[in-house]
Amino acid sequence: QVQLVESGGGLVQPGGSLRLSCAASISIGSIFNINAMGWYRQAPGKQRELVAAITSGGSTDYADSVKGRFTMSRDNAKNTGYLQMNSLKPEDTAVYYCNAEGMYYSGNYYKDLEVWGQGTLVTVSS
């Protein structure tokens, strides 16, 4: 059906930058009409939280803690979403997950589908 594969995590010093990627793979002959996509993170000792989100219309929303530092983008030709993270802080350390939600169509079969990536670890430390 739909698979999201994340990459780009790693170890970076405070003030550094990373770009996370989330590539979507859709079964041949099927359609995934994305309504919204987002990035979540789960830091040690904390609940999973929404970091950034974007709708199919292009409206974006960011958590207050990352505004001005993180930017979401999409490359529809590559079927890939990105999270550019600048001025990273130790408190940004977390496992980051991408998410996509929308209507999945295959023939006359359709359903609302929510898909999660496997997660990628970002560690910000000197």
Side-chain angles (χ1 to χ4, degrees), residues 4-19:
L4 302 181
V5 180
E6 301 177 40
S7 62
L11 175 64
V12 64
Q13 294 186 354
S17 298
L18 285 174
R19 187 178 72 164

Side-chain angles (χ1 to χ4, degrees), residues 2-119:
V2 179
Q3 183 178 9
L4 302 181
V5 180
E6 301 177 40
S7 62
L11 175 64
V12 64
Q13 294 186 354
S17 298
L18 285 174
R19 187 178 72 164
L20 306 183
S21 299
C22 180
S25 178
I26 305 169
S27 298
I28 297 175
S30 301
I31 299 172
F32 187 43
N33 189 9
I34 296 175
N35 180 60
M37 61 177 62
W39 288 92
Y40 293 74
R41 69 184 181 187
Q42 188 163 19
K46 294 186 177 181
Q47 301 286 340
R48 186 175 298 187
E49 64 176 344
L50 178 66
V51 176
I54 187 169
T55 68
S56 59
S59 178
T60 58
D61 187 42
Y62 296 91
D64 289 340
S65 59
V66 306
K67 286 181 178 178
R69 300 188 297 118
F70 291 12
T71 304
M72 285 189 67
S73 63
R74 294 180 296 183
D75 187 335
N76 291 334
K78 297 181 179 179
N79 215 19
T80 301
Y82 304 95
L83 182 67
Q84 179 66 46
M85 305 184 295
N86 298 325
S87 302
L88 284 162
K89 305 175 181 179
E91 50 263 43
D92 294 319
T93 296
V95 177
Y96 285 72
Y97 301 87
C98 63
N99 169 271
E101 180 273 329
M103 289 298 297
Y104 178 79
Y105 300 85
S106 182
N108 61 358
Y109 171 80
Y110 58 93
K111 65 177 180 180
D112 187 83
L113 185 65
E114 184 179 50
V115 186
W116 289 87
Q118 82 283 2

